[in-house]
Amino acid sequence: MKFWEVVKSALHSLGSNKIRSTLTMLGIIIGISSVIIIAMVGKGSQNSITGELIKLADKVITINVQSNNLILTKKDYISMEDIEKIREIPGVSGVAPSLRDRARLAIKDNEFTAFSFLETTSEDFEEISGAKIVYGRPFSIQEVDRGEKRILIDDVYAMRKFGRIDVAGEELQVQLGKNVRDTYIISGVFENPMKNLMSSFGGREIYQIYIPYRTYQKYINDKPISSISVSISDVNSKDSISSDIVSYIEEAHQKEGIYEISAKTSPAESFNNILTTLSILLTAVATISLLVGGIGVMNIMLVSVTERIREIGIRKAIGGKRRDILLQFLIEAVFMSLTGGIIGVFLGIVISYIAGAFLKIRPVLDILTILISVIVSSGIGIVFGTYPAKRASELDPIEALRHE
């Protein structure tokens, strides 16, 4: 019996039981569409919440001075001259010392209530932080060099405490520890990169402020610079540029093995890992419905074998081969599973975009996930259709013809 005749016979059998075939495919459709929805909406949510911050981590590196149990002198640390020289290295788009602290904020003489993360930066603020100035301006080169008491605040704090973002020129009091307390002039307001993260998790607001690095050294703590952030213009050249930077520092300081490179870290990375794990777990749960759908395919195929025992006996009696009967029932199972998988993929994509419109996120269409889903649906047909097909092909023709 030719292969295409076997296929036509299998499709005819399925067509004669349209409702039963459709209900059998329903389990596969639900399982595949669930996997597609979770994958697309989950990835879209990740990109919406942490995408920009993760992209920033790709183009910003950190150079740290590590003691490695060695006694370091002041000349071993990164100097202002190093920063200027590093800025001249081809491919470097920005440099700023990474000095961090926690501060309390207050407007004029009000009580200090708001806690904030304080970081130092340079005139390359937007390149290093990846944050966009929404009102005012970044620090000028002169303000950084002179160590002026200037400050950049995030839009979340501006709206919460001032009720507006057009606050450039306003005064803000900053307190570090118990004794260091100064008044700073707001130069600009930037969009808090953690805003999506805060709104998505509904947690406590995370304020951020930046001051010039020379200001920090001049008025707060004159500790040596042990860490700098460097922005790379071309991500593909990150390794070679990083190597050039370290080579320069080692040559300038005549010391090797204490200057380490690391990617810029962000709280978003932790949340990104959590979201990835959660998405994998949800996908694993969704695949259980595929198993249920596969059992449904096996059940219906066994029923079909029982109903068609006499037909199988007649075909064997007139010379039908065991291989042809096996192939026909297997094709029926695979066709139901594959058709259900294709419908499930289409349905999952449509529902994902509808859900994305309501959730205000852009679902990510992953071709690999779609291909895997189609392959899995076909595999279900093969795995769960093999036993019924094998049982049909092994029927004794005499016993089959006696069956009523």
Side-chain angles (χ1 to χ4, degrees):
M1 193 172 184
K2 293 182 179 180
F3 176 75
W4 288 114
E5 291 180 0
V6 175
V7 173
K8 285 170 65 177
S9 179
L11 295 180
H12 176 74
S13 297
L14 291 174
S16 62
N17 294 284
K18 293 184 180 68
I19 295 177
R20 189 169 71 181
S21 299
T22 302
L23 292 175
T24 303
M25 290 189 294
L26 197 57
I28 305 296
I29 292 171
I30 293 172
I32 293 293
S33 61
S34 299
V35 171
I36 295 294
I37 292 167
I38 291 172
M40 289 182 63
V41 175
K43 190 64 177 176
S45 300
Q46 278 184 259
N47 290 348
S48 174
I49 296 171
T50 64
E52 290 304 316
L53 294 174
I54 299 302
K55 285 180 183 177
L56 173 64
D58 287 338
K59 63 173 290 190
V60 178
I61 60 171
T62 303
I63 311 294
N64 299 302
V65 182
Q66 302 290 344
S67 65
N68 297 325
N69 298 322
L70 298 175
I71 298 175
L72 301 181
T73 62
K74 191 172 182 179
K75 69 176 184 177
D76 295 324
Y77 290 91
I78 299 170
S79 66
M80 297 301 172
E81 183 182 356
D82 292 333
I83 292 172
E84 295 306 317
K85 292 292 185 182
I86 291 170
R87 191 175 275 116
E88 295 174 4
I89 293 176
V92 172
S93 56
V95 186
S98 300
L99 302 171
R100 296 180 175 86
D101 219 321
R102 288 198 65 184
R104 300 181 69 187
L105 309 177
I107 300 173
K108 294 183 179 178
D109 294 323
N110 292 342
E111 183 181 351
F112 287 94
T113 54
F115 282 94
S116 173
F117 291 108
L118 179 147
E119 291 189 49
T120 63
T121 189
S122 65
E123 61 271 24
D124 301 320
F125 166 74
E126 288 180 298
E127 284 288 338
I128 296 295
S129 67
K132 179 183 177 183
I133 296 289
V134 293
Y135 191 84
R137 58 173 177 79
F139 303 129
S140 67
I141 297 175
Q142 293 76 19
E143 288 169 345
V144 174
D145 289 341
R146 290 195 295 262
E148 292 187 13
K149 292 182 181 179
R150 290 274 177 173
I151 193 168
L152 297 172
I153 67 172
D154 67 87
D155 57 341
V156 176
Y157 179 79
M159 289 300 299
R160 181 70 66 217
K161 301 301 179 181
F162 289 92
R164 64 188 198 281
I165 63 170
D166 56 336
V167 294
E170 297 277 357
E171 292 184 350
L172 185 68
Q173 292 184 337
V174 180
Q175 177 176 313
L176 288 94
K178 295 181 179 179
N179 302 320
V180 182
R181 176 173 178 164
D182 276 309
T183 300
Y184 288 76
I185 303 297
I186 300 173
S187 289
V189 178
F190 62 91
E191 186 175 12
N192 192 321
M194 303 291 289
K195 189 189 298 183
N196 287 337
L197 210 57
M198 290 187 284
S199 62
S200 297
F201 286 89
R204 178 180 172 183
E205 290 179 340
I206 305 169
Y207 304 131
Q208 289 182 283
I209 59 174
Y210 288 86
I211 63 174
Y213 62 86
R214 285 186 182 272
T215 304
Y216 185 91
Q217 291 180 314
K218 186 176 179 180
Y219 296 103
I220 299 173
N221 192 330
D222 191 24
K223 61 183 179 182
I225 300 171
S226 61
S227 178
I228 60 171
S229 293
V230 182
S231 177
I232 306 298
S233 56
D234 182 9
V235 176
N236 295 323
S237 303
K238 181 162 64 173
D239 291 340
S240 61
I241 296 171
S242 301
S243 179
D244 290 342
I245 294 171
V246 171
S247 295
Y248 160 74
I249 299 175
E250 289 180 341
E251 185 177 345
H253 293 261
Q254 294 295 300
K255 202 140 194 173
E256 296 182 356
I258 65 170
Y259 305 103
E260 291 189 355
I261 300 172
S262 63
K264 184 179 177 67
T265 57
S266 164
E269 293 179 17
S270 299
F271 284 106
N272 191 60
N273 292 334
I274 293 171
L275 290 172
T276 300
T277 303
L278 182 61
S279 180
I280 292 171
L281 289 174
L282 290 174
T283 303
V285 172
T287 55
I288 294 175
S289 61
L290 287 176
L291 179 63
V292 175
I295 293 172
V297 170
M298 178 185 285
N299 181 54
I300 290 301
M301 292 308 298
L302 286 172
V303 171
S304 180
V305 170
T306 302
E307 290 177 345
R308 294 155 63 185
I309 286 178
R310 189 170 181 81
E311 174 196 328
I312 296 167
I314 294 172
R315 288 177 60 184
K316 280 196 168 188
I318 61 176
K321 295 181 180 179
R322 175 182 171 183
R323 180 191 61 190
D324 294 332
I325 296 171
L326 175 69
L327 189 59
Q328 179 180 338
F329 279 89
L330 198 56
I331 288 173
E332 289 180 25
V334 172
F335 183 82
M336 281 194 293
S337 298
L338 184 58
T339 303
I342 293 171
I343 295 173
V345 168
F346 177 76
L347 190 63
I349 292 173
V350 172
I351 294 175
S352 294
Y353 280 109
I354 293 172
F358 280 103
L359 298 173
K360 295 181 179 180
I361 61 172
R362 179 179 291 179
V364 177
L365 183 60
D366 187 354
I367 301 299
L368 181 61
T369 302
I370 293 174
L371 289 175
I372 291 174
S373 299
V374 173
I375 292 170
V376 167
S377 63
S378 301
I380 287 171
I382 295 172
V383 172
F384 289 93
T386 299
Y387 174 70
K390 187 172 182 291
R391 181 176 173 182
S393 67
E394 291 177 347
L395 284 173
D396 183 84
I398 297 176
E399 293 297 327
L401 288 170
R402 289 177 179 174
H403 184 78
E404 294 294 334

